[in-house]
């Protein structure tokens, strides 16, 4: 029998954990698969770990990894992926914003051949206008910046096939943006629309600082555009200063030009050259960064008659 691994990162979720466990358990039982539920406790300071110990004592399908401190949601999910044994892995938030009842739909997409079935938020309930607005802007900025299409309005709620999970095991970069890595890998990715509910209880554990870091990791990990801003700007400025120089020469021949104008043009030109050189350095840094990330050079989706 094929098995599913449910991966649930938890950070200070004492208000939701029990209910969340019961609903997830009921969903997993309703499917015709073996399963495990992996909780990764991301350094909770409340009763979460105590509750997890109780749940795991009664339910042998529940496995728990507990961090020594808070490492952040993306690393918690990664730690779950690292020990998951399933033929497919499902990543889900503990707070029931991603309804466990959508899991059977993700599984169905997988049965129909999807390697990645990602939850796409058709609607977001109970989130502030500000959160929805900034999220909408960010996703669009990211997809403009990124060389690989990162689907709009998706989070980490998704099912991934074993072969995708194995690729995640090979990508050990530190500043992780899982949904970007997933998009970068390609494979047959299929959206499954769902309504994102309100948090069941408790408050968001994603502070503004954590959210900004994730947003920045998304851009720096999947786009080299920021590094080439300098090149573009420097080239533009040099061009304008060059035109200025021609204009100055013409004016000098015709009528004589005040000396400070030469100085201004010289400064602008130098500034442009500096930026251009910075951009060139950026290009080398970008290449070093690529090497440092140590991602696999390519990913094979399928092989036939290869031994
Ligand atoms: N989470 C985590 N570590 C953190 C922050 C969050 O493991 O540092 C977990 C959290 O317990 C939840 C999931 O990640 O299961 C999503 O967090 P949250 O619901 O607070 O984020 P939001 O939905 O508000 O973006
Ligand atoms: Mg949430």
């Amino acid at each position: 029998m094929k098995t599913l691994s449910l991966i649930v990162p938890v950070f200070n979720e004492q208000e939701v954990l029990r209910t969340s466990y019961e609903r997830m358990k009921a969903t997993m039982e309703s499917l015709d698969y073996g399963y495990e539920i992996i909780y990764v406790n991301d350094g909770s300071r409340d009763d979460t770990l105590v509750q997890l110990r109780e749940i795991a004592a009664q339910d042998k399908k529940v496995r728990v990894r507990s961090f020594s401190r808070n490492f952040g949601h993306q690393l918690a999910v990664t730690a779950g992926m690292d020990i998951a044994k399933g033929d497919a892995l499902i990543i889900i938030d503990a707070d029931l914003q991603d309804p466990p009842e959508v899991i059977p739909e993700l599984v169905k997409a997988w049965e129909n051949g999807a390697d990645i079935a990602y939850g796409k938020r058709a609607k977001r309930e109970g989130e502030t206008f500000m959160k929805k607005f900034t999220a909408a802007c960010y996703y669009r900025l990211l997809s403009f910046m990124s060389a690989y299409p990162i689907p709009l309005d998706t989070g980490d709620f998704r099912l991934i096939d074993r072969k995708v999970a194995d690729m995640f095991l090979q990508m050990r970069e530190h500043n992780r943006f899982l949904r970007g890595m997933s998009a970068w890998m390609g494979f047959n990715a299929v959206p499954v629309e769902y309504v994102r509910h309100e948090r069941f209880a408790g408050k968001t554990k994603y502070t503004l600082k954590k959210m900004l870091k994730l947003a920045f990791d998304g851009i720096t990990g999947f786009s080299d555009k920021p590094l080439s801003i300098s090149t573009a700007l420097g080239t533009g400025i040099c061009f304008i200063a060059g035109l200025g120089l021609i204009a100055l020469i013409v004016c000098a021949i015709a009528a004589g030009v005040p000396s400070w104008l030469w100085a201004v043009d010289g400064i602008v030109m130098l500034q442009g050259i500096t930026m251009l050189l910075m951009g060139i350095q950026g290009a080398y840094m970008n290449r070093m960064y690529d090497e440092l990330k140590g991602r696999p050079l390519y990913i094979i989706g399928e092989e036939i008659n290869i031994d």
Side-chain angles (χ1 to χ4, degrees):
M1 187 166 51
K2 287 197 167 180
T3 58
L4 304 171
S5 302
L6 193 63
I7 298 171
V8 196
V10 281
F11 176 51
N12 295 343
E13 297 289 9
Q14 61 180 17
E15 295 94 350
V16 301
L17 192 56
R18 283 269 167 205
T19 316
S20 155
Y21 161 71
E22 273 152 28
R23 270 183 50 195
M24 287 179 191
K25 174 92 184 159
T27 306
M28 296 317 281
E29 285 289 335
S30 74
L31 294 165
D32 279 334
Y33 288 95
Y35 71 90
E36 60 180 359
I37 304 179
I38 302 172
Y39 284 102
V40 182
N41 172 37
D42 186 11
S44 298
R45 289 179 288 269
D46 64 356
D47 244 10
T48 300
L49 184 56
V50 177
Q51 290 183 18
L52 282 177
R53 287 193 192 115
E54 286 166 11
I55 294 171
Q58 284 164 13
D59 185 346
K60 289 297 151 209
K61 289 198 158 84
V62 170
R63 302 168 72 201
V64 178
R65 289 190 112 176
S66 189
F67 285 169
S68 58
R69 63 167 170 84
N70 182 251
F71 280 86
H73 169 250
Q74 301 284 301
L75 289 174
V77 172
T78 303
M81 289 179 172
D82 287 347
I83 58 157
K85 296 189 192 127
D87 296 292
L89 278 53
I90 299 156
I91 297 143
I92 190 167
D93 285 356
D95 60 0
L96 299 171
Q97 281 201 281
D98 311 324
E101 293 70 29
V102 179
I103 293 174
E105 290 178 49
L106 298 179
V107 173
K108 197 151 284 151
W110 177 56
E111 287 166 347
N112 290 333
D115 300 315
I116 300 170
Y118 59 93
K120 186 167 164 52
R121 299 157 181 178
K123 206 168 140 211
R124 299 165 77 122
E125 285 175 350
E127 284 182 296
T128 59
F129 170 78
M130 230 9 228
K131 167 112 191 198
K132 284 191 224 177
F133 178 73
T134 48
C137 292
Y138 175 69
Y139 283 124
R140 275 150 193 85
L141 173 72
L142 183 64
S143 75
F144 165 73
M145 295 273 242
S146 166
Y148 327 97
I150 296 178
L152 296 176
D153 304 318
T154 63
D156 290 316
F157 181 38
R158 64 188 56 220
L159 175 149
I160 60 174
D161 183 76
R162 167 50 51 195
K163 67 180 174 206
V164 180
D166 285 342
M167 293 316 306
F168 269 109
L169 296 185
Q170 285 192 36
M171 292 166 74
R172 305 313 288 177
E173 60 208 66
H174 286 75
N175 299 298
R176 297 168 85 78
F177 184 64
L178 297 173
R179 62 200 83 154
M181 291 162 74
S182 174
W184 179 85
M185 284 185 218
F187 289 116
N188 178 25
V190 173
V192 172
E193 292 217 345
Y194 75 105
V195 176
R196 187 158 164 90
H197 291 300
E198 220 167 313
R199 186 174 242 283
F200 171 73
K203 279 206 274 295
T204 179
K205 305 298 164 339
Y206 252 98
T207 54
L208 184 65
K209 194 173 151 208
K210 282 179 180 167
M211 211 135 66
L212 287 175
K213 165 152 171 43
L214 185 69
F216 201 62
D217 284 343
I219 289 176
T220 53
F222 295 91
S223 168
D224 50 20
K225 285 208 174 80
L227 277 176
S228 51
I229 291 173
S230 191
T231 318
L233 226 71
T235 313
I237 291 173
C238 278
F239 181 71
I240 292 167
L243 288 182
L245 190 65
I246 294 170
L248 281 178
I249 291 170
V250 172
C251 293
I253 293 168
V257 174
S259 61
W260 60 269
L261 270 178
W262 293 101
V264 169
D265 194 67
I267 289 167
V268 172
M269 181 75 110
L270 273 178
Q271 194 59 256
I273 291 170
T274 311
M275 281 194 168
L276 195 61
L277 292 178
M278 269 170 64
I280 291 170
Q281 285 183 16
Y284 282 90
M285 255 164 67
N286 182 31
R287 281 156 185 76
M288 278 200 279
Y289 180 44
D290 263 352
E291 298 300 332
L292 276 177
K293 275 189 281 196
R295 287 186 198 164
L297 293 182
Y298 53 81
I299 298 170
I300 291 166
E302 191 183 333
E303 282 185 319
I304 298 169
N305 290 345
I306 300 281
D307 30 46

